[in-house]
Amino acid sequence: MPRAFSHRRPPPAPEQALLSSHRAIEDQLKICGHKRDADVFELFLSQKELTEVIDLSRFRKLKYLWLHHNKLHGIAFLTRNYCLTELYLNNNAIFEIEGLHCLPSLHILLLHHNELTNIDATVKELKGMLNLKTLSLYQNPLCQYNLYRLYIIYHLPGVELLDRNQVTEKERRSMITIFNHKKAHTIQSIAFGGKVDASWNPKLPLKHKPAQRLPSDFAFADNVDKTVFDDPEDAVFVRSLKRSVMTLTSMNWDTVPTQEEKYLQEEGTETAQMLTVTLR
């Protein structure tokens, strides 16, 4: 009777992938000399051919995590890493980022060179990150969206550096014009002579103020200034309908010294002056 040999079956692929990530993490802990999970503030797991990563919630004080240049498809392994401030996930095969909303302290997030296709799902996951300042999403399928950059700026107003380019005030104004017509109309409809705060703070929610209306007893005559308004801004609005101010400024060339006068340095030569003309 032939002798039966017992062969140990290799673990399934997902389990093998988790074992690979476990070994990579343990190797890093040994290199850094960490003996307690509480002492781990950073993990460098780049270029490890990882397709899965074990749950990292044991590292409660983890602040910096490098996972770029792997083969990851998702990031469900980040659940209780509330102190994480920098996360590098670029150059993977990530197609969804579900789970990132659990990282309120995240300041830098690199996701370029991945497979993200759903821009709405991506924005929804990142909306709760109030501390996120640096974000990269280029070389993802969602970047083919026609107004991709302005769309990201509109929904993530706290981001200051997007795809290695600084977010400009011009982009923020364009973003309001395109995606928030009411806000844009309010800003553009303000006439001269009114003290109205038209600034926009990206950290505050956009507030929509109802359109201003003229009082029922208003008339374009001498009784305009006699009308009583409940809101001071309404008074400014009405006054702007009555008149506006235009200021023109130009150089007074009579006060500009000639080349000869500059050469002779004549005494009494006055400095150039500006002329300002105000029209009502």
Side-chain angles (χ1 to χ4, degrees):
M1 184 176 180
R3 184 178 178 180
F5 292 93
S6 61
H7 297 278
R8 184 179 179 182
R9 299 177 57 188
E15 184 178 347
Q16 182 64 41
L18 292 175
L19 288 174
S20 298
S21 69
H22 177 75
R23 285 194 296 267
I25 293 173
E26 294 301 323
D27 290 343
Q28 285 297 309
L29 296 181
K30 291 179 181 179
I31 293 174
C32 298
H34 296 308
K35 296 182 179 180
R36 301 185 311 164
D37 293 343
D39 297 330
V40 179
F41 294 96
E42 59 183 17
L43 279 175
F44 190 83
L45 301 173
S46 175
Q47 299 180 339
K48 304 293 184 182
E49 298 291 324
L50 300 178
T51 58
E52 299 283 347
V53 177
I54 61 173
D55 184 75
L56 299 178
S57 59
R58 56 188 267 209
F59 305 114
R60 298 293 182 90
K61 297 183 179 180
L62 184 65
K63 296 184 67 175
Y64 312 101
L65 178 58
W66 289 270
L67 280 165
H68 53 291
H69 288 89
N70 280 295
K71 300 178 180 179
L72 301 177
H73 295 283
I75 46 179
F77 46 86
L78 296 170
T79 55
R80 299 181 181 180
N81 304 101
Y82 306 124
C83 295
L84 195 64
T85 58
E86 296 184 14
L87 178 57
Y88 302 89
L89 291 167
N90 51 288
N91 296 86
N92 276 282
I94 298 173
F95 58 89
E96 64 177 0
I97 57 174
E98 184 177 356
L100 280 185
H101 67 277
C102 299
L103 308 175
S105 301
L106 206 60
H107 186 82
I108 298 176
L109 175 61
L110 303 189
L111 280 164
H112 54 274
H113 286 280
N114 275 288
E115 300 297 331
L116 298 174
T117 58
N118 193 327
I119 190 171
D120 290 322
T122 300
V123 165
K124 182 180 179 180
E125 195 67 25
L126 300 179
K127 267 187 175 181
M129 297 182 183
L130 302 181
N131 294 308
L132 187 61
K133 303 298 181 184
T134 301
L135 174 66
S136 68
L137 292 168
Y138 63 91
Q139 293 297 324
N140 275 283
L142 59 79
C143 295
Q144 298 178 5
Y145 178 63
N146 188 27
L147 298 173
Y148 147 75
R149 183 174 173 86
L150 292 181
Y151 189 83
I152 295 296
I153 294 173
Y154 175 71
H155 288 284
L156 305 176
V159 173
E160 300 174 355
L161 188 67
L162 176 61
D163 295 341
R164 299 181 178 177
N165 291 315
Q166 197 76 23
V167 176
T168 65
E169 289 303 317
K170 181 178 180 181
E171 287 179 317
R172 295 195 188 281
R173 290 193 296 268
S174 299
M175 167 270 295
I176 295 177
T177 303
I178 296 173
F179 297 106
N180 194 328
H181 301 290
K182 291 183 178 180
K183 179 73 174 182
H185 177 72
T186 301
I187 295 176
Q188 295 174 3
S189 62
I190 296 176
F192 291 102
K195 184 180 178 182
V196 181
D197 182 14
S199 62
W200 178 72
N201 187 345
K203 296 183 180 179
L204 297 178
L206 296 177
K207 297 180 180 180
H208 305 296
K209 185 179 179 180
Q212 296 169 312
R213 298 180 179 276
L214 298 177
S216 57
D217 59 343
F218 173 79
F220 288 95
D222 294 336
N223 65 334
V224 171
D225 297 328
K226 301 178 184 179
T227 305
V228 179
F229 299 87
D230 295 329
D231 190 346
E233 289 190 13
D234 292 336
V236 174
F237 171 69
V238 170
R239 189 180 67 179
S240 68
L241 295 178
K242 181 180 179 183
R243 62 183 181 181
S244 61
V245 178
M246 178 179 295
T247 302
L248 301 177
T249 303
S250 64
M251 178 72 70
N252 184 358
W253 292 102
D254 294 334
T255 62
V256 178
T258 63
Q259 189 66 24
E260 183 178 356
E261 291 174 339
K262 291 181 180 179
Y263 177 77
L264 296 177
Q265 296 183 350
E266 295 182 359
E267 295 183 0
T269 301
E270 300 179 356
T271 58
Q273 299 177 358
M274 301 295 293
L275 290 177
T276 301
V277 180
T278 302
L279 303 176
R280 292 182 180 275

